[in-house]
């Protein structure tokens, strides 16, 4: 019994530590001094790639296979995904149209295409930060139950969210400009880009915060 209690306590500590790390990275990203839309677009696009790779399977009907992940990896994936989605909603002002436009901007900038930077809306930096305390508590309480964890993610991230489609296509004119510029690049850079994409393993708020 003592050993069981010790193991349970250790798992609780690991879950609490993971939640603290995720919240810290979330706070860092929220407090970044964004100067223009292009900087916000970079964060949104990076977050979308992470969400597409790891959160999308959780909210799709066949995502049950992810419940086989052992240890704290499932909890880490869930809390990172939910906080990333909340961050993106905040940065996009809760407007799906704005988020889609910024994702296109981030995609174009990453591909070397024409990416027009615009000033951020008045009052952008004064928006109150989202309250994620209840959201995090729900995930922590469900950390022992994979089914409840997945249910919490499904309830927070709609399957139709544009953030679950990392390969958002830019507008036609931007797309043509990006294609023309890509044609002048060497094959090595293309290979490096593909290799970098394949290295993503799980949603990581810390990785995006570090890259910002």
């Amino acid at each position: 019994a003592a050993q069981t209690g010790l193991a349970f306590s250790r798992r609780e500590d690991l879950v609490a530590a993971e939640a603290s790390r995720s919240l810290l990275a979330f706070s860092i990203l929220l407090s970044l001094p964004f100067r223009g839309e292009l900087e916000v677009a970079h964060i949104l696009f990076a977050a979308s790639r992470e969400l597409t790779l790891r959160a999308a399977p959780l909210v799709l009907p066949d995502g049950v296979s992810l419940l086989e992940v052992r240890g704290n990896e499932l909890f880490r994936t869930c809390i990172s995904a939910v906080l990333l989605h909340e961050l993106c909603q905040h940065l996009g002002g809760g407007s799906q149209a704005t988020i889609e436009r910024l994702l296109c901007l981030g995609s174009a900038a990453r591909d070397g295409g024409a990416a027009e930077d615009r000033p951020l809306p008045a009052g952008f930096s004064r928006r109150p930060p989202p309250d994620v305390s209840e959201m995090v508590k729900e995930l922590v309480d469900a950390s022992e139950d994979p089914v409840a964890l997945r249910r919490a993610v499904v309830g927070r991230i709609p399957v139709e969210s544009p953030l679950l489609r990392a390969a958002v296509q830019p507008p036609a004119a931007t797309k043509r400009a990006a294609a023309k510029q890509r044609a002048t690049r060497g094959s090595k850079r293309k290979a490096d880009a593909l290799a970098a994409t394949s290295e993503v393993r799980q949603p990581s708020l810390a990785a995006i915060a570090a890259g910002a």
Side-chain angles (χ1 to χ4, degrees):
Q3 289 180 343
T4 302
L6 181 61
F8 183 71
S9 176
R10 184 169 171 352
R11 174 165 174 75
E12 282 187 328
D13 290 344
L14 290 172
V15 167
E18 191 59 55
S20 296
R21 279 193 293 269
S22 295
L23 281 170
L24 176 61
F26 178 73
S27 299
I28 291 172
L29 288 166
L30 276 178
S31 62
L32 287 175
F34 294 108
R35 294 168 294 183
E37 282 193 345
L38 193 54
E39 291 181 341
V40 176
H42 281 304
I43 295 294
L44 284 177
F45 186 74
S48 177
R49 288 176 61 197
E50 297 278 359
L51 287 167
T52 300
L53 287 169
R54 295 298 167 186
L58 279 171
V59 301
L60 294 174
D62 57 355
V64 182
S65 60
L66 278 192
L67 302 181
E68 298 173 1
V69 179
R70 291 188 291 178
N72 289 321
E73 290 184 20
L74 180 60
F75 175 75
R76 185 183 305 121
T77 298
C78 290
I79 192 169
S80 295
V82 168
L83 288 176
L84 272 179
H85 186 266
E86 190 67 21
L87 172 74
C88 293
Q89 290 296 319
H90 175 73
L91 294 179
S95 165
Q96 298 311 300
T98 299
I99 290 173
E100 289 241 26
R101 181 175 61 79
L102 291 174
L103 285 173
C104 287
L105 180 63
S107 176
R110 178 178 175 274
D111 290 339
E116 179 187 359
D117 196 6
R118 299 179 186 176
L120 291 167
F124 178 88
S125 61
R126 295 192 296 275
R127 290 177 183 170
D131 183 2
V132 297
S133 56
E134 287 299 319
M135 182 187 307
V136 172
K137 182 179 184 303
E138 180 184 4
L139 291 167
V140 170
D141 290 346
S143 61
E144 295 286 331
D145 184 348
V147 175
L149 269 176
R150 180 171 180 264
R151 189 184 305 121
V153 174
V154 169
R156 300 284 183 177
I157 305 178
V159 69
E160 66 275 9
S161 171
L163 293 162
L164 298 182
R165 292 180 278 114
V168 176
Q169 296 299 318
T174 303
K175 208 172 166 184
R176 285 194 296 271
K180 183 177 179 181
Q181 195 162 12
R182 279 198 302 271
T184 64
R185 297 176 181 169
S187 58
K188 183 178 182 302
R189 185 167 180 182
K190 292 180 183 178
D192 289 345
L194 288 172
T197 301
S198 65
E199 286 173 1
V200 181
R201 290 293 178 267
Q202 64 183 26
S204 170
L205 284 158
I208 294 177

